[in-house]
Amino acid sequence: MNNTQLWRALGRNFIISILLFGALLGILFLIESFLPAFQGGAGGRLLRWHDPAWVVGIPASIIGVAYILTVRDPQNYTGFFAGVVMSILLGIQFLLQSQYDSAFLFFFVFIPFQLMSIYKWSRSKDDGGASFEPKFLDTPRLFLSVALLIFITAGDFIINLYAIHGALALDGWKEAVILLLNGLLISSSFLANYWLIYRKTDSWIYWFIYSIAGIGLFIFLGNAFSIVLFTFFLVINSMAGIAWLKATKPENMGWLNLFKQ
């Protein structure tokens, strides 16, 4: 596809995302209107228009879905421009929620990652299309990636413990699970964004982990809207992952070839 077609695809995905979120918000409005259990608090439990962080999160989510729908095509780098805007909005959202580790990640890690992706994906058209092909990691990089997932998750867990208690002390198992899921959310999104730069199909495995961790985290936090939102992300990310898996040639299966022996 030429550049005009790539940008048109991004525009179409924005429209699709707006329609999907419009339908989702409409359904949630009906649920709040007719089910008393969801009418608690100012503005309800699902639609919290009184909360600035929640309001910022809505356009961030809409742009984020357009981003995912666009980079589902490993030839379309334009989605990363949407990813930069999404990261700015999510960084603001996390600042409003006093989640400074996540805000730092979006402002100072994910935006540079996405700018690198724009550079590498846009330049890859010059090599005849060979680097458009998605690939799985080889086995050594797989083990390195898993080790990083564990290291970042554990590091975030410890940092948050010291931020809360000033020591390695836990206030029950529920707090431990919440902190672990929060760390997994950060580590999986870090690796997902990083491996997207190099068109590694593994990135969608990490987006899948991200979605599952988000669902679990907000179940423990009792945030009904975020549970619905991350379930929505789970479906979108899974669809993109399946598309990349189908586009991955047998010779590019990397570590998966271990299971064929």
Side-chain angles (χ1 to χ4, degrees), residues 193-209:
N193 277 281
Y194 179 77
W195 290 125
L196 266 180
I197 298 171
Y198 302 99
R199 284 197 184 87
K200 299 301 183 183
T201 310
D202 304 73
S203 60
W204 297 105
I205 297 175
Y206 291 110
W207 281 127
F208 183 85
I209 295 171

Side-chain angles (χ1 to χ4, degrees), residues 65-86:
V65 169
Y67 157 63
I68 294 168
L69 290 174
T70 304
V71 300
R72 181 176 61 176
D73 177 0
Q75 298 187 34
N76 198 339
Y77 67 91
T78 62
F80 290 107
F81 288 97
V84 170
V85 179
M86 174 199 71

